């Protein structure tokens, strides 16, 4: 491969990574590396912040900065506060807030299985219908204490972001629980079919990734490769969830320790045949990849039939096949619930979405707001969000959104508007739960590896966002937007709201981009320390 082709491939990989809009776990450059240096352009700022803003990466960039005490209204910093910025995943502050307020932080999704037909002893002459309710995890991440598990780099990013890991929970936990409940209801035989009812809302492909009413394991197959004991040996493969007719094969081989790891995933058009190829370095950590579930409804139907059979319920219909939605009734009146799975509260899902920048979950919130308004068209969630922003005293004209994740090229927000949504939550009874749902600097989520030993560690709660792609003309990365918005603890129990971001930066490569993300975290840390000293 020519050097030019290699560079193009590298930029395409980076573009794919960044299209996820994950401001991922970044190794901090360290506050000590930002050398204090006075700047003529930023004379009103801490010189350490000025020195960051004057770096070559920002020569053509526009900076935004805003910091305010939400109690007194005092503004400490305001730079381009009323100008539009590309927010990246910081846009999730709006969409998740809207869903949280609309559904309620305590809202739980109750997914039922209905018995459609007549019971004759232990036999159901009819169908079992799993009525999907838009539950984001369906038990696949739920801990024993009812909280939702996550890792700092989520498995949904595994093909693009190094270091993604799995949570230990069984992704089929909710399905298995439903199957056991069906058995406990007295049903032993189903003389009919199992059907997933996906009519809660229509999938909207303009939302990418596209939410579905039924979501199992984020609608992906996890593929975990472990190196052999020495170079030349085949790598070991494990995958989950194991549902027919999905089959996974691997030709990945082990190479010498210290060599690069390169694992590719290919799948058939229907997604059921998955093949891994490439190399993995000996003595390296297991490497995670994922493959999309192309038909979540058929997948869920088969998963439930397999779980029913394991629980001791025989189903007459074939285990593998299309989801027969033509059999669904117009109404479930008279069709009893024979099982139901109840989710953790929505605030736990919001925490997951914020901590790992969960794109599917953020887009799902738009669809759930539409359902709350009585519509199955996800686009009808935006008027619900608009009304919420009005009630929250957010200047709605200072926000542009075409999705929930912050991935649409038209998404825009002003620093002041982001501060307004953050201020809204500070005046609610759920202020602490909302604030602690955000990534915490140096502690967890997508800020876990920033500023781990600096004085501001644990005192900045914020949502990062990145929007970038390839600049083919100059053989570099164009960073459309890099932002960070959240709270600064200025003294125990008191928090300023803040925004820092740059639009129009550039980076030579992925390391340069990571440096930009570190710069945002460093600026937030300086803002926190300065505010704490003033108080």
């Amino acid at each position: 491969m020519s050097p030019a082709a290699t560079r193009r491939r590298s930029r395409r990989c980076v573009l794919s990574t960044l299209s996820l809009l994950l401001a991922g776990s970044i190794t901090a450059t360290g506050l000590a590396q930002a050398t204090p240096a006075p700047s003529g352009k930023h004379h009103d700022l801490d010189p350490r912040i000025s020195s960051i803003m004057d770096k070559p990466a920002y020569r053509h960039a526009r900076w935004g900065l805003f910091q305010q005490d939400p109690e007194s209204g005092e503004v400490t910093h305001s730079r381009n506060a009323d100008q539009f910025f590309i927010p990246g995943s910081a846009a999730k502050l709006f969409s998740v807030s809207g869903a949280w307020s609309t559904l309620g932080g305590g809202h739980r999704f109750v997914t039922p299985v209905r018995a459609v037909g007549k019971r004759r002893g232990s036999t159901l002459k009819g169908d079992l219908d799993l009525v999907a309710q838009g539950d984001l995890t369906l038990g696949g991440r739920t801990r024993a204490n009812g909280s939702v598990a996550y890792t700092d780099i989520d498995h949904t990013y595994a093909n693009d972001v190094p270091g993604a890991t799995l949570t230990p929970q069984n992704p089929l936990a909710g399905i298995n629980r439903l199957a056991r409940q069906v058995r406990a209801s007295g049903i032993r035989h189903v003389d009919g079919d199992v059907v997933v009812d996906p009519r809660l809302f229509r999938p909207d492909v303009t939302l990418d990734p596209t939410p579905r009413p039924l979501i199992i394991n984020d609608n992906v197959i996890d593929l975990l490769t472990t190196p052999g004991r020495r170079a030349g040996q085949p790598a070991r493969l494990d995958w989950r969830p194991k549902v027919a007719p999905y089959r996974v094969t691997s030709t990945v081989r082990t190479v010498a320790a210290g060599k690069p790891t390169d694992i590719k995933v290919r799948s058939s058009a229907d997604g059921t045949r998955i093949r891994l190829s490439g190399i993995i370095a000996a003595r390296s950590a297991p490497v995670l990849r994922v493959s999309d579930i192309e038909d979540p409804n058929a997948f869920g139907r088969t998963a439930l039939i397999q779980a029913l059979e394991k629980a001791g319920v025989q189903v007459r219909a074939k285990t593998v096949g299309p989801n027969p939605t033509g059999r669904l009734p117009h109404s479930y009146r008279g069709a009893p619930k024979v099982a139901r799975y109840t989710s953790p509260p929505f605030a736990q899902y919001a925490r997951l979405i914020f901590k790992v920048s969960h794109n599917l979950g953020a887009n799902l919130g738009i669809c759930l707001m539409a359902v709350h308004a009585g519509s199955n068209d996800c686009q009808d969630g935006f008027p619900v969000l608009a009304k919420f922003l009005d009630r929250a005293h957010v200047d709605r004209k200072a926000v542009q959104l075409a999705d929930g994740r912050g991935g649409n090229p038209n998404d825009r927000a002003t620093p002041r508007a982001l501060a307004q949504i953050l201020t809204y939550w500070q005046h609610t009874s759920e202020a602490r739960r909302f604030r602690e749902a955000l990534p915490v600097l140096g502690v967890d989520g997508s800020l876990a590896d920033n500023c781990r030993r600096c004085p501001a560690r644990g005192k900045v709660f914020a949502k990062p966002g990145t929007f970038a792609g390839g600049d083919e003309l100059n053989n570099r990365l164009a960073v459309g937007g890099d932002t960070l918005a959240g709270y600064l603890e200025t003294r125990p129990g008191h928090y300023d709201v803040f925004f820092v971001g740059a639009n129009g930066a550039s980076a030579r490569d992925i390391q340069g981009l990571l440096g930009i993300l570190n710069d945002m975290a460093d600026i937030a840390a300086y803002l926190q320390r300065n505010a704490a000293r003033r108080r």
Side-chain angles (χ1 to χ4, degrees), residues 111-113 130 174-182 304 339-341:
T111 302
V113 175
L130 191 165
I175 294 293
N176 292 338
R177 184 176 296 185
L178 289 170
R180 292 193 296 267
Q181 290 181 25
V182 171
L304 182 54
R340 68 178 187 177
Y341 178 79

Side-chain angles (χ1 to χ4, degrees), residues 422-433:
L422 293 162
T423 297
Y424 162 79
W425 283 105
Q426 278 298 94
H427 295 116
T428 71
S429 61
E430 294 192 284
R432 178 176 178 178
R433 185 151 63 159

Side-chain angles (χ1 to χ4, degrees), residues 45-172:
L45 294 178
D46 180 324
R48 296 170 298 181
I49 296 176
S50 298
S51 69
I52 292 174
M53 292 182 170
D54 288 338
K55 286 183 177 181
Y58 310 115
R59 179 181 178 187
H60 302 293
R62 177 169 58 96
W63 280 94
L65 186 63
F66 192 78
Q67 182 181 351
Q68 184 177 34
D69 183 332
E71 302 299 328
S72 68
E74 178 187 359
V75 175
T76 306
H77 295 289
S78 180
R79 178 165 302 202
N80 293 320
D82 298 302
Q83 302 299 306
F84 271 139
F85 281 78
I86 298 172
S89 282
K92 291 180 173 72
L93 290 168
F94 298 115
S95 60
V96 176
S97 292
W100 189 327
S101 177
T102 300
L103 301 175
H107 174 79
R108 296 176 185 266
F109 300 87
V110 180
T111 302
V113 175
R114 298 269 191 172
V116 181
K118 295 183 178 181
R119 289 276 294 271
R120 293 182 181 176
S122 62
T123 298
L124 171 65
K125 293 286 187 177
D127 299 339
L128 287 176
D129 290 1
L130 191 165
V131 187
Q133 296 296 306
D135 187 332
L136 180 57
T137 71
L138 201 60
R141 294 178 185 254
T142 305
R143 298 186 180 101
N145 64 2
S147 63
V148 173
Y150 61 90
T151 60
D152 291 333
I153 305 179
D154 194 61
H155 75 139
T156 54
Y157 295 105
N159 290 356
D160 303 290
V161 180
T165 54
L166 294 171
T167 59
Q169 288 73 26
N170 181 357
L172 297 177

Side-chain angles (χ1 to χ4, degrees), residues 81-371:
D82 298 302
Q83 302 299 306
F84 271 139
F85 281 78
I86 298 172
S89 282
K92 291 180 173 72
L93 290 168
F94 298 115
S95 60
V96 176
S97 292
W100 189 327
S101 177
T102 300
L103 301 175
H107 174 79
R108 296 176 185 266
F109 300 87
V110 180
T111 302
V113 175
R114 298 269 191 172
V116 181
K118 295 183 178 181
R119 289 276 294 271
R120 293 182 181 176
S122 62
T123 298
L124 171 65
K125 293 286 187 177
D127 299 339
L128 287 176
D129 290 1
L130 191 165
V131 187
Q133 296 296 306
D135 187 332
L136 180 57
T137 71
L138 201 60
R141 294 178 185 254
T142 305
R143 298 186 180 101
N145 64 2
S147 63
V148 173
Y150 61 90
T151 60
D152 291 333
I153 305 179
D154 194 61
H155 75 139
T156 54
Y157 295 105
N159 290 356
D160 303 290
V161 180
T165 54
L166 294 171
T167 59
Q169 288 73 26
N170 181 357
L172 297 177
I175 294 293
N176 292 338
R177 184 176 296 185
L178 289 170
R180 292 193 296 267
Q181 290 181 25
V182 171
R183 174 72 160 74
S185 77
I187 295 176
R188 302 290 187 274
H189 305 277
V190 178
D191 190 9
D193 212 326
V194 170
V195 190
V196 170
D197 185 342
R199 296 177 294 186
L200 184 70
F201 58 81
R202 298 192 303 270
D204 185 341
V205 296
T206 66
L207 300 176
D208 180 22
T210 302
R212 307 279 179 159
L214 182 69
I215 299 172
I216 299 174
N217 200 44
D218 298 307
N219 291 338
V220 298
I221 302 292
D222 296 317
L223 312 160
L224 192 65
T225 299
T226 302
R229 293 182 180 276
R230 57 181 179 273
Q233 289 186 333
R236 300 189 297 275
L237 170 69
D238 193 14
W239 59 282
R240 70 176 202 182
K242 292 182 172 66
V243 173
Y246 283 74
R247 296 290 183 271
V248 182
T249 59
S250 173
T251 59
V252 178
R253 60 184 177 85
T254 308
V255 295
K259 288 195 172 183
T261 291
D262 184 14
I263 299 176
K264 296 180 176 61
V265 179
R266 295 181 176 85
S267 64
S268 57
D270 64 359
T272 64
R273 297 295 182 267
I274 303 168
R275 182 179 180 84
L276 282 75
S277 61
I279 55 176
I280 184 171
R283 298 198 295 274
S284 68
V287 173
L288 181 65
R289 295 287 185 266
V290 294
S291 184
D292 289 340
I293 295 171
E294 298 295 338
D295 188 343
N297 297 327
F299 181 89
R301 172 188 174 274
T302 297
L304 182 54
I305 291 176
Q306 290 182 172
L308 287 166
E309 292 175 346
K310 185 177 180 180
V313 179
Q314 299 300 312
V315 178
R316 181 181 178 183
K318 292 182 178 180
T319 302
V320 176
N323 184 50
T325 54
R327 297 175 65 98
L328 291 171
H330 293 293
S331 168
Y332 284 108
R333 185 176 181 179
K337 295 178 183 178
V338 293
R340 68 178 187 177
Y341 178 79
T342 303
S343 77
F346 181 79
Q348 279 290 317
Y349 285 173
R351 183 182 181 90
L352 166 67
I353 296 166
F354 281 146
K355 292 291 188 185
V356 307
S357 204
H358 197 281
N359 292 324
L360 180 63
N363 280 345
L364 176 63
I366 301 296
C367 300
L368 294 174
M369 284 187 280
V371 170

Side-chain angles (χ1 to χ4, degrees), residues 459-494:
K459 298 178 181 179
V460 177
F461 307 76
K463 183 72 194 73
T466 299
F467 195 102
D471 174 6
E472 298 297 335
L473 179 65
N474 297 294
N475 189 31
R476 63 182 182 180
L477 295 174
V479 187
D482 209 296
T483 61
L484 189 64
Y487 301 99
L488 308 169
E489 184 175 14
T490 60
R491 63 178 184 271
H494 189 93

